Amino acid sequence: MKALVKSRAERGLWLEDVPEPEIGINDVKIRVLYTGICGTDLHIYEWDAWASSVIQPGLTIGHEFVGEVVAIGSNVDDLAIGQIVSGEGHVVCGRCRNCLAGRRHLCAHTMGVGVNRNGAFAEFVVLPMSNIWQHSKGISLEIASIFDPLGNAVHTALAFPVLGEDVLVTGAGPIGIMAAAVARHAGARHVVISDPNPYRRALAEKVGVTLAVDPRTTLLAKIQNQLHMQEGFDVGLEMSGNPSAFRDMLSNMSHGGKIAMLGIPSEQIAIDWNQVVFNQLTLRGIYGREMYETWYMMTVMLETGLDISSVITHRMNWRDYEDGFSAMRSGNSGKVILDWRDVS
Ligand code: NAD
Ligand code: ZN
C-alpha cells in the first residue's frame, strides 16, 4: 500500500510502497479516507531534536484521520465493516494504576499512533478496538478527520467551567481557534484570543471571538478596560507554548483564575511565581484527550451547533503532501487536510 514514511534519519518524508498492516484478534483495520496534518507531523518531517530522539526511522506517520472499517479481528463484536471511524491516537497499556482505574488518558505508558507505532498517512491503518471511535451520522468526513486536534481543544477549553466567564486564549493556531469556538459554545461571556500572526487572527474572527489581538501592539490590560472587565480573565487557555504569551496571561488573570496549558514550550519558561501564589491561580497541564468523554463532548457539541469548519483552510490530494507541509510551515494556514479516497 501507499504510505508516507519517515524512512531516513534526516529532514523529509517519503512516499513509499509498504506492506499492508496485519490485524490481531482485538484489532480493527481501517481504510483511510481523510487525514489532518498536525504540528507533530511537521516536527517529524523537520527532524528536530524532539523528533530525532523519539522516532525510529521506517515509521509511517500521521494520527489525525477518518476512515472506513474494512476488517475486524475475531474478538471484535461491536464494530461492522463499512462503519465510519476515527482512532484515539494514544494506545494505552491497560494495566497501570490509572488505566485500571478507568483514567486511561493518564496512562504513563501510552504509545502514540504515528509516533511510536505506524500511523494513518497510508491507505490502511490498524488499531486496537479499544481505540476506535464510531462517528455519529451527520458529522462530515472532513470534520471527523480532525477529531484528534478538536479533542485537544475541547479537553483544554472544558478543563474549567467557562459559563459566563471571561476567557483568554493565547495562540490562534488551529487548536487555539477551535478552543475559542468551544468556549463560546459553552457559554463564555468574552473570548479574547492573541496571536502575532494576522492570518490567524483573521481566522479566529471567523469563529466568533470577541476580539483577536496582536500581543506585540495591544496590551491585554487595555483590552480588559475596553471590555469593561473588572478584575482580569477568569479562565486562560495557553495554546502557543510561547514564554511571553504565558507570562502575559499570568499578569492578566483575576484572583482565583484558572489556566489550562496545552501549548508545548520549546524551552524552559521562567515566571513570576508571586503572581501564582498571591493571586491563587490554578495551573493545569493538558495532554491529549479524555477517553472517551472528550470524544462524546465533541460529537454532541457539533450536533448542537458548534461550527469549526472555517478552521480547515487547505484541502489537497495525498499525493500533494509536500504542499500541505509547506502550507503548515508558512503559518498562513488553519488545518490542512489530505484526501486519501483515491489511491489507484
Ligand atoms: P500552532 O503552532 O499552529 O499555533 C501556535 C500559535 O501560537 C501560532 O499561531 C503562533 O503564531 C502563536 N504565538 C506565538 N507567539 C505568541 C505569543 N507571544 N502570543 C500569542 N500567540 C503566539 O499550534 P497548534 O497546532 O494550534 O497547537 C497549539 C499548541 O498545542 C502547540 O504548542 C502544540 O505543540 C501544542 N499541542 C499540545 C498537545 C497536547 O496534548 N498537550 C497536543 C497537540 C498540540
Ligand atoms: Zn496504562
Side-chain angles (χ1 to χ4, degrees), residues 152 171 173-175 194-196 200 239-240 242 245 262-264 286-288:
N152 296 135
I175 302 183
S194 68
D195 200 301
R200 290 194 153 175
M239 300 285 194
S240 74
N242 182 281
L262 184 90
I264 300 175
I286 305 284
Y287 181 61

Side-chain angles (χ1 to χ4, degrees), residues 30-199:
I30 300 147
R31 159 118 171 67
V32 176
L33 297 172
Y34 287 93
T35 58
I37 303 179
C38 171
T40 303
D41 303 320
L42 195 57
H43 287 293
I44 299 174
Y45 186 111
E46 299 296 334
W47 203 239
D48 63 11
W50 169 81
S52 57
S53 70
V54 171
I55 305 295
Q56 293 290 333
L59 182 85
T60 296
I61 76 163
H63 56 275
E64 301 178 359
F65 75 95
V66 64
E68 180 185 5
V69 175
V70 289
I72 54 176
S74 57
N75 268 353
V76 182
D77 56 11
D78 64 340
L79 285 166
I81 309 299
Q83 261 172 343
I84 298 296
V85 299
S86 286
E88 163 57 49
H90 294 107
V91 178
V92 298
C93 79
R95 295 306 305 171
C96 70
R97 175 183 173 182
N98 278 319
C99 280
L100 288 173
R103 299 182 294 260
R104 288 179 284 177
H105 60 290
L106 297 178
C107 174
H109 312 292
T110 180
M111 301 281 282
V113 175
V115 175
N116 310 113
R117 53 181 281 154
N118 282 330
F121 288 172
E123 278 178 63
F124 299 100
V125 62
V126 163
L127 282 175
M129 62 175 157
S130 52
N131 276 66
I132 302 298
W133 178 261
Q134 302 176 41
H135 284 293
S136 298
K137 290 202 169 34
I139 306 269
S140 80
L141 288 177
E142 288 188 350
I143 296 294
S145 75
I146 57 166
F147 257 47
D148 178 294
L150 174 60
N152 296 135
V154 167
H155 189 11
T156 316
L158 302 184
F160 300 109
V162 293
L163 178 63
E165 304 288 34
D166 295 330
V167 177
L168 172 64
V169 184
T170 44
I175 302 183
I177 293 174
M178 290 191 282
V182 170
R184 258 276 181 259
H185 187 78
R189 180 173 69 159
H190 294 310
V191 180
V192 175
I193 196 163
S194 68
D195 200 301
N197 178 335
Y199 178 97

